[in-house]
Amino acid sequence: MRRSLVCLLLALLPSVSFAAEPLTLLLMHILREQIASAIQEAIENAEREKERQKYVIPPPVYDLDDHKLKTLIDEGFVHLTSAQREEVFASVKRILSDPQNAAIKPMLVQELAFKASAVRQAHEQLARLSEAEKRAVVAQAREEYQKLPPEERQQMLQVLRSGVVPLPRDLSEMILAEFSTVPAAGDARRPE
């Protein structure tokens, strides 16, 4: 009896596998349809998101709030007094808020950032000069100063005294002291 039961099961096994095969095919077809539907939905969502992004205006890259703008000026123009930095801040705010400058506002902020960085770097490089290097710079500045006509000398002195040149205080004072030793234009002949 056992043998006949095992034989019967073995005889039915191929027919069970054939019966399972249509079921497997049906499941495969359903899965394939679900995957195709999911892919189609993902493509449609991506296209909708792409369309939506076309109309979203990103914030300007160089749009700075007052705090960031003030920090940029304070960190870039370290050679200026706090009152001078306040004047620069007020001037920059006035320029940036002018409706005529709206189209070039990012370019203006970018230019300010570049200049602040360049001024800061120049100031730091001059501050790192040795005492001998500073004296050489002062001597060279004196030579150029002597070549200037009186009105330009006066302007140069005013600019140096105002502190708007990105020079460390000690170097600025050395140059001013050296310029004071130069005879007035009427006292010495100017080289031609």
Side-chain angles (χ1 to χ4, degrees):
M1 184 106 144
R2 270 187 182 162
R3 273 191 188 164
S4 50
L5 188 56
V6 170
C7 285
L8 182 62
L9 282 176
L10 287 176
L12 289 176
L13 191 60
S15 65
V16 169
S17 68
F18 285 131
E21 193 171 303
L23 182 60
T24 304
L25 288 175
L26 180 63
L27 288 174
M28 293 291 282
H29 177 71
I30 292 171
L31 285 174
R32 194 174 322 143
E33 289 297 319
Q34 287 178 345
I35 291 171
S37 174
I39 290 173
Q40 182 65 29
E41 187 177 333
I43 291 171
E44 289 171 1
N45 285 340
E47 287 175 358
R48 271 186 255 132
E49 185 63 28
K50 188 177 176 182
E51 283 296 315
R52 194 174 19 236
Q53 287 178 354
K54 278 184 185 179
Y55 302 107
V56 173
I57 299 172
V61 178
Y62 294 105
D63 194 17
L64 299 177
D65 61 26
D66 286 355
H67 176 72
K68 288 179 183 177
L69 184 61
K70 187 147 185 41
T71 301
L72 175 68
I73 292 169
D74 288 344
E75 291 177 357
F77 301 101
V78 294
H79 63 287
L80 298 176
T81 64
S82 60
Q84 289 171 325
R85 288 192 301 265
E86 285 296 325
E87 287 177 30
V88 170
F89 174 73
S91 176
V92 169
K93 284 293 293 175
R94 192 171 38 258
I95 291 168
L96 292 177
S97 64
D98 185 347
Q100 292 178 342
N101 295 330
I104 60 171
K105 184 177 177 179
M107 188 172 62
L108 293 172
V109 173
Q110 182 180 18
E111 186 66 26
L112 175 67
F114 286 145
K115 285 190 180 184
S117 176
V119 166
R120 174 74 182 239
Q121 289 174 15
H123 188 271
E124 289 174 350
Q125 287 176 346
L126 291 170
R128 285 193 297 263
L129 292 177
S130 68
E131 199 61 34
E133 291 170 324
K134 286 180 182 179
R135 283 193 296 272
V137 167
V138 169
Q140 188 177 14
R142 179 192 170 135
E143 288 175 18
E144 294 301 317
Y145 179 74
Q146 285 177 315
K147 296 176 186 176
L148 296 175
E151 57 276 352
E152 288 182 25
R153 283 186 186 182
Q154 192 60 34
Q155 287 175 350
M156 182 169 280
L157 284 173
Q158 288 174 348
V159 168
L160 278 171
R161 287 182 183 135
S162 71
V164 296
V165 180
L167 295 174
R169 294 273 180 229
D170 65 334
L171 184 58
S172 181
E173 289 170 5
M174 289 171 66
I175 291 172
L176 282 169
E178 191 65 26
F179 285 0
S180 68
T181 65
V182 174
D187 298 343
R189 278 208 217 170
R190 187 170 164 230
E192 305 265 340

